[in-house]
Amino acid sequence: PFKPVFDYSYDGVMRSFEDSLKRLGVDRIDILHIHDPDDHWEEAISGAYPALEKLRSEGVISAVSAGMNQWEMLVRFAREGDFDCFLLAGRYSLLDQSSLDELLPLCVEKNIGIIAGGTYNSGILAKGAQPGATYNYGEAPPEIIAKAKGLEEVAARHQVDLKAAASQFVFAHPAITTIIPGTRQPDRVSENFNLLKEQIPADFWAELRSEGLIREDAPLP
Ligand SMILES: NC(=O)c1ccc[n+]([C@@H]2O[C@H](COP(=O)([O-])OP(=O)(O)OC[C@H]3O[C@@H](n4cnc5c(N)ncnc54)[C@H](OP(=O)(O)O)[C@@H]3O)[C@@H](O)[C@H]2O)c1
């Protein structure tokens, strides 16, 4: 059995990077993420971040990133380091636009591309707002089920696939350069890709706004 260890030290990251290269059978990495350092800010900014900067300066990684389920610490990273991109999970979606005030404009200003993960908030926006649906990796609370049901009702009125809306909405923000919907089913990879091409009427988005289901200031596709 393995015992997980959170090690965001400079040496720990360099060791982990070397181990990853061996396991992957490659000699360089495109994007290296500082992953989930929520409880390790000091070590991440003073240990992991300088390690990633060094690897980028040597050309063995192309992009320095952090991946998190929160926007607040990504704001700190953006202000204190030189990041190329971030993986932001679940904090810019049809159900959660909490990153809209600070993180997303800051990333536009600093030319930091956002890879949006958890664009279905871990399931509810793809599988439907029913009891047992997952929201950010736990059971969806009643107010989220109610809001997701509201989204589904508007989508049904306009014959829109809510999954398509969930994906296209996220992409409409200029800070978002990539979305990575997750699935265990291979045929859903192409389905999720094709959702980006579905036509969604402007009236649908206008109704989400007028019903207060999305923020007034969120950019629309
Ligand atoms: N801290 C971080 O850096 C962080 C945190 C969270 C997530 N992420 C990354 O973000 C990516 C996406 O996250 P995620 O997969 O957890 O959440 P997600 O994309 O919001 O949702 C995944 C859920 O949606 C379902 N789904 C996906 N496509 C579907 C479709 N076409 N029809 C019906 N259901 C569909 C999946 O079910 P099925 O599997 O049954 O299709 C799964 O239950 C992953 O690469 C993950 O590693 C990173």
Side-chain angles (χ1 to χ4, degrees), residues 33-36 38 66-70 87-90 116-127 134 137 163 180-185 187-189 191-192 195:
H33 302 279
I34 304 173
H35 185 211
D36 285 353
D38 303 68
M68 304 192 74
N69 285 295
Q70 58 156 303
L87 199 174
L88 173 69
T119 45
Y120 297 138
N121 284 113
S122 81
I124 187 166
L125 286 168
K127 291 184 185 291
T134 54
Y137 310 101
K163 299 191 294 297
I180 46 168
T183 178
R184 289 157 297 189
Q185 303 197 29
D187 53 342
R188 287 187 173 161
V189 174
E191 183 194 339
N192 285 333
L195 290 169

Side-chain angles (χ1 to χ4, degrees), residues 69-71 89-99 117-149 151 162 166 213:
N69 285 295
Q70 58 156 303
W71 58 265
R91 301 306 184 278
Y92 196 67
S93 74
L94 280 177
L95 286 168
D96 182 336
Q97 291 119 51
S98 56
S99 59
T119 45
Y120 297 138
N121 284 113
S122 81
I124 187 166
L125 286 168
K127 291 184 185 291
Q130 49 231 320
T134 54
Y135 176 73
N136 295 349
Y137 310 101
E139 193 176 334
E143 67 276 15
I144 292 293
I145 302 241
K147 194 173 172 195
K149 278 202 164 102
L151 292 166
L162 191 61
L213 288 162

Side-chain angles (χ1 to χ4, degrees), residues 10 28 57 67 73 76 80 95 107 113 135 154 157-158 175 178 186-187 194 201 210 214:
Y10 185 94
R28 59 179 305 288
S57 72
M73 195 177 278
R76 294 181 78 182
E80 297 195 27
L95 286 168
C107 288
Y135 176 73
V154 179
R157 270 203 290 284
H158 293 270
T178 311
D187 53 342
N194 290 327
S210 64
I214 52 171

Side-chain angles (χ1 to χ4, degrees), residues 14 29-30 34 45 58 65-66 79 85 96 101 105 128 131-132 144 149 167 170 193 206 212-213:
M14 290 302 194
I29 299 268
D30 292 331
I34 304 173
I45 194 68
E58 292 169 348
S65 173
R79 295 218 166 101
C85 53
D96 182 336
D101 290 319
I144 292 293
K149 278 202 164 102
S167 301
V170 174
F193 178 74
L213 288 162

